[in-house]
Amino acid sequence: MKENYYQPEIECASVETLKALQDERLVKQVKHVYENVPYYRDLMDKKGVKPEDIKSTADLHKLPFITKADLRDAYPYGLLAKPLDECVRIQSTSGTTGRRVVAFYTQHDVDLWEDCCARAIMAVGGTKEDVCQVSYGYGLFTGGPGLNGGSHKVGCLTLPMSSGNTERQLQFMTDLGATILCCTPSYAAYLGESLHEKGYTPETIPLKAGIFGAEPWTEEMRRDIEKSLGIKAYDIYGLTEISGPGVSFECSEQSGMHINEDHFIAEIINPETGEVLPEGEVGELVFTSLTKEAFPLLRYRTRDLCVLKREKCSCGRTLIKMSKPLGRSDDMMIIRGVNVFPSQIEAVLLNEGYTPNYRIEVDRVNNTDTFDVYVELSPEMFSDTVREITDRENKLAAAMRTMLGIGPKMHLVAPKTIARSEGKAVRVVDKRKLH
Amino acid sequence: MSVKQISVFIENQPGKLAEATRYIAGHGINLRAMSIADTKDFGILRVICDDPEQSAEVLREGGYITNVTEVLAVGINDAPGSLATILEIIAKAGVSVEYTYAFLGTRMEGAFMIFRVDDNAKAAAALEAAGIKTVEQSDMF
């Protein structure tokens, strides 16, 4: 594959050039944030840091961290750094206990985000000749809008499919000759199986590459998908808080994701102490957005555990690489691409009159996540008919879907059958081997 | 007009039903009739026994989720069409049947049918009007 860049002057810039750009942007960004976001000003004042203390990226560690809890406290406008009338878009993700994260974008923010996605598409060989099928969800979820914008920037013919409706996905993929597929890895695996059932073989479809993200996946799954669809499968990483997909992306080398360092500074910290760790060590990934105008986060703790490595890459890019997330430093699960916290499940159960005795079981069967929640039935809920119990289970599953954006299979079980332990209850059984 | 049925929630796992019935036996409760509704995850054991309220209490003390429901019991002739006739009468009265099961009597000849319907009084009245008597708890033991 011929190497292909969207912005080679950045993607292949010398480390010194990147560093100088980061220094300059960081100083400007800290000033912007301090002046326009009272919430941040308080955080910095409390830590005794003034904007003038930040002279380069070497001073980054002086800044306070910001966490999901801050985002919740500041909801919805508390972290906004631009007047609302300069904002053109929001994207959102579910947060803990039901409060969502709402991120704001100016037109400039949208442009830069789409540039990041365009880099990811070109890194997998995408050009204006390509037909790019975007099968991530469109809407509040950043997957669809991000890759859609990136695909436009590259000049691909964009198929804005959104997720679901597999029949239609396959019809457009085959009739219009999609060459690049963007979706969650589990959906890619499912599309592959569905194509085989219809009698297609990898040789009969023009698909050549896939950009798959929004959920954890393994090297085995990559090989399965590559074989099943006859493509190269690439990882992409991002989060709504920072912008969306395209914070980092894989190149032809398929050995880690290049971080778009002109827009984001990555650090790895010890999640217990907050201490910055040297390159190559496993720790929590922290991002500082350098160019975001409306919703700029400084030192945002992602809770993803990763390793950073700067080494010469055969693709020619000099951007630092991050490993796939190796785990989480909190209890968040990603199920079928959706972020799920046990606390959200607990909130629904209490709200619906159940006890907080529950067990969550997650597994991956045929490359698709299964999601089961077991909860104890209380005597007053019991009736002699199966229908009333299954109605209860369905009602609970619907309430879960409203809260989480994804519906578990609910199971009502007899009282006192869910194990209780002295210390922290084991509420989550994740049987997937993701890392 | 109606009889009291005890329902017990049983998880669909090996040994759970044996455990529950052993518990029932251990407390001297004699089952006159029973049926089980099952799903992938759980089953509902439904039983008719004497002194249902006391028996239900015993089950609750044993940690079982238990519920007492009024159901109709009808003596039924051992002849083709007997069940169909009863169901037609209930249907004509506009009453819907949730489930039904049969058992053999000891004091009376023939079989009994248990009907769990959404309106006991209406179904019983329709059956009486057609000359079919519903059975009382005391008739069964």
Side-chain angles (χ1 to χ4, degrees):
Chain A
M1 184 173 87
K2 187 183 155 289
E3 286 305 334
N4 202 17
Y5 313 99
Y6 181 66
Q7 289 161 317
E9 69 286 4
I10 294 292
E11 295 172 61
C12 305
S14 70
V15 174
E16 294 70 35
T17 309
L18 280 173
K19 174 82 172 41
L21 188 63
Q22 286 188 333
D23 287 345
E24 180 205 320
R25 287 181 170 174
L26 178 66
V27 170
K28 211 172 128 212
Q29 185 71 307
V30 172
K31 192 164 174 288
H32 166 62
V33 167
Y34 190 83
E35 284 170 4
N36 294 295
V37 186
Y39 191 98
Y40 252 117
R41 191 155 57 234
D42 288 351
L43 281 182
M44 285 175 62
D45 287 347
K46 252 183 235 151
K47 213 173 176 236
V49 198
K50 295 280 168 226
E52 48 276 22
D53 297 332
I54 310 300
K55 297 187 179 72
S56 75
T57 52
D59 299 319
L60 189 60
H61 67 96
K62 296 175 183 165
L63 289 170
F65 291 114
I66 193 154
T67 65
K68 203 139 185 158
D70 290 305
L71 267 54
R72 195 166 61 225
D73 288 350
Y75 173 90
Y77 299 124
L79 290 168
L80 194 60
K82 278 280 183 187
L84 261 189
D85 65 2
E86 286 186 43
C87 297
V88 298
R89 172 94 68 83
I90 66 146
Q91 300 289 161
S92 174
T93 175
S94 64
T96 45
T97 60
R99 203 174 264 183
R100 292 181 157 266
V101 170
V102 174
F104 298 84
Y105 302 71
T106 62
Q107 185 55 52
H108 187 247
D109 291 335
V110 173
D111 269 344
L112 297 188
W113 172 28
E114 291 177 354
D115 284 346
C116 290
C117 291
R119 289 178 192 175
I121 293 170
M122 291 196 69
V124 308
T127 68
K128 64 192 285 292
E129 316 290 323
D130 279 297
V131 177
C132 183
Q133 176 161 357
V134 183
S135 306
Y136 282 113
Y138 279 62
L140 289 172
F141 176 54
T142 50
L147 270 309
N148 186 87
S151 173
H152 279 219
K153 290 224 167 183
V154 174
C156 302
L157 174 64
T158 310
L159 312 184
M161 301 303 298
S162 197
S163 51
N165 201 338
T166 302
E167 278 297 311
R168 193 173 60 192
Q169 300 276 1
L170 297 181
Q171 190 195 338
F172 278 72
M173 180 186 285
T174 51
D175 290 355
L176 298 179
T179 53
I180 298 174
L181 173 65
C182 307
C183 60
T184 59
S186 48
Y187 197 53
Y190 182 71
L191 287 174
E193 282 166 30
S194 306
L195 276 168
H196 289 280
E197 277 165 23
K198 290 192 170 301
Y200 288 95
T201 57
E203 301 75 45
T204 56
I205 49 168
L207 212 56
K208 63 177 188 189
I211 301 177
F212 306 131
E215 66 183 14
W217 53 312
T218 57
E219 284 303 319
E220 293 73 50
M221 198 164 168
R222 187 203 306 260
R223 285 194 289 275
D224 283 354
I225 296 170
E226 290 190 334
K227 192 159 163 256
S228 155
L229 289 170
I231 60 171
K232 283 277 181 196
Y234 300 92
D235 206 352
I236 186 167
Y237 176 89
L239 58 174
T240 310
E241 294 88 330
I242 296 302
S243 63
V247 170
S248 65
F249 58 93
E250 262 186 349
C251 62
S252 55
E253 205 176 275
Q254 293 180 310
S255 65
M257 295 174 276
H258 288 288
I259 296 171
N260 283 310
E261 289 183 282
D262 52 333
H263 300 305
F264 317 107
I265 302 178
E267 296 171 275
I268 293 289
I269 63 159
N270 176 329
E272 308 293 329
T273 62
E275 171 207 1
V276 179
L277 299 175
E279 203 181 297
E281 284 195 26
V282 179
E284 184 180 330
L285 184 61
V286 171
F287 278 114
T288 296
S289 41
L290 292 171
T291 49
K292 262 292 202 69
E293 293 179 336
F295 198 73
L297 299 184
L298 307 178
R299 303 196 87 200
Y300 178 68
R301 294 186 59 163
T302 64
R303 302 287 173 187
D304 282 326
L305 300 175
C306 285
V307 179
L308 292 180
K309 256 187 202 145
R310 192 184 299 279
E311 55 194 8
K312 198 167 158 35
C313 187
S314 61
C315 76
R317 284 176 188 79
T318 48
L319 302 169
I320 198 165
K321 281 201 272 195
M322 61 177 265
S323 65
K324 270 179 191 296
L326 307 166
R328 297 277 303 174
S329 67
D330 63 7
D331 58 0
M332 188 182 91
M333 299 165 280
I334 303 179
I335 306 173
R336 285 177 232 145
V338 180
N339 299 349
V340 175
F341 290 92
S343 56
Q344 294 173 297
I345 289 170
E346 192 164 321
V348 174
L349 292 176
L350 292 173
N351 200 30
E352 297 285 321
Y354 291 84
T355 63
N357 295 314
Y358 62 94
R359 188 176 72 248
I360 301 165
E361 279 189 16
V362 188
D363 202 351
R364 188 163 280 175
V365 179
N366 295 329
N367 287 321
T368 302
D369 292 338
T370 60
F371 179 22
D372 293 83
V373 177
Y374 297 81
V375 61
E376 291 180 1
L377 190 65
S378 61
E380 54 285 0
M381 290 172 176
F382 177 59
S383 108
D384 61 316
T385 66
V386 170
R387 184 170 49 83
E388 280 178 59
I389 297 178
T390 49
D391 281 354
R392 280 191 166 276
E393 288 177 336
N394 293 339
K395 181 166 179 275
L396 208 42
M400 292 285 177
R401 179 177 290 281
T402 305
M403 166 72 102
L404 307 169
I406 176 175
K409 172 95 181 70
M410 292 300 312
H411 306 267
L412 293 173
V413 299
K416 303 189 180 68
T417 53
I418 290 178
R420 288 155 176 76
S421 56
E422 297 292 317
K424 197 169 175 252
V426 182
R427 303 224 178 276
V428 180
V429 182
D430 195 336
K431 297 176 181 162
R432 300 176 295 183
K433 291 182 183 65
L434 299 177
H435 306 297
Chain B
M1 177 200 85
S2 59
V3 299
K4 288 191 161 102
Q5 168 195 268
I6 302 176
S7 305
V8 189
F9 183 84
I10 311 252
E11 281 191 64
N12 198 350
Q13 280 171 28
K16 290 286 177 192
L17 182 60
E19 207 179 286
T21 49
R22 176 56 62 200
Y23 178 84
I24 291 170
H27 287 79
I29 302 167
N30 190 23
L31 305 182
R32 289 296 302 122
M34 63 155 290
S35 87
I36 294 175
D38 68 302
T39 70
K40 194 169 151 287
D41 289 327
F42 65 88
I44 301 175
L45 170 67
R46 300 159 182 147
V47 303
I48 305 285
C49 58
D50 56 357
D51 204 351
E53 293 295 354
Q54 174 58 30
S55 302
E57 205 40 53
V58 166
L59 279 159
R60 284 190 194 109
E61 279 162 16
Y64 289 97
I65 292 200
T66 308
N67 149 306
V68 178
T69 325
E70 301 272 342
V71 293
L72 292 182
V74 181
I76 186 165
N77 290 330
D78 187 7
S82 305
L83 177 58
T85 305
I86 294 171
L87 289 171
E88 279 158 11
I89 294 164
I90 295 173
K92 213 171 269 175
V95 175
S96 71
V97 177
E98 202 73 55
Y99 55 82
T100 176
Y101 55 98
F103 68 103
L104 290 174
T106 45
R107 268 175 51 175
M108 293 168 78
E109 292 294 302
F112 289 105
M113 289 294 302
I114 297 290
F115 295 96
R116 163 72 156 93
V117 297
D118 63 354
D119 190 335
N120 278 338
K122 211 164 155 189
L127 289 168
E128 305 269 336
I132 298 168
K133 248 187 86 57
T134 52
V135 175
E136 300 294 327
Q137 199 99 16
S138 54
D139 295 337
M140 298 172 55
F141 296 95

